[in-house]
Amino acid sequence: FKVLELKPTFIKQMGDFSCEYKSVSGIIKTSWQFNGDTVTYNFEVPVPTRLKLPNGTGMLYQPGKHSVICKMN
């Protein structure tokens, strides 16, 4: 990947979630935890990554571990 795109959809009925994918560029890890009216989204990526959240906001992140807290609607 030159730039990876993550576009999570947080489904409270599913509860907390985590997964790992072994790509040709390296391991991609994502997880989220619900905390009342917020969700904490954690991700670890091996390449630059564009994160697009359900509320329409987005940002480019460099390789590494990141954490984002989002308010649920």
Side-chain angles (χ1 to χ4, degrees):
F1 301 107
K2 288 187 179 184
V3 175
L4 175 68
E5 182 171 284
L6 294 176
K7 233 176 141 176
T9 300
F10 307 120
I11 302 170
K12 196 161 190 168
Q13 293 83 352
M14 278 181 55
D16 296 346
F17 174 83
S18 68
C19 71
E20 181 177 302
Y21 177 72
K22 295 177 184 173
S23 77
V24 295
S25 299
I27 297 174
I28 300 165
K29 297 179 183 180
T30 67
S31 67
W32 64 70
Q33 297 83 39
F34 290 99
N35 304 299
D37 65 344
T38 63
V39 60
T40 301
Y41 182 59
N42 301 297
F43 58 101
E44 183 174 354
V45 290
V47 295
T49 299
R50 183 170 289 107
L51 174 63
K52 290 189 176 182
L53 296 171
N55 66 7
T57 62
M59 189 170 167
L60 184 64
Y61 290 85
Q62 294 304 310
K65 293 181 182 181
H66 305 280
S67 185
V68 177
I69 297 175
C70 305
K71 186 152 178 83
M72 296 293 292
N73 294 335

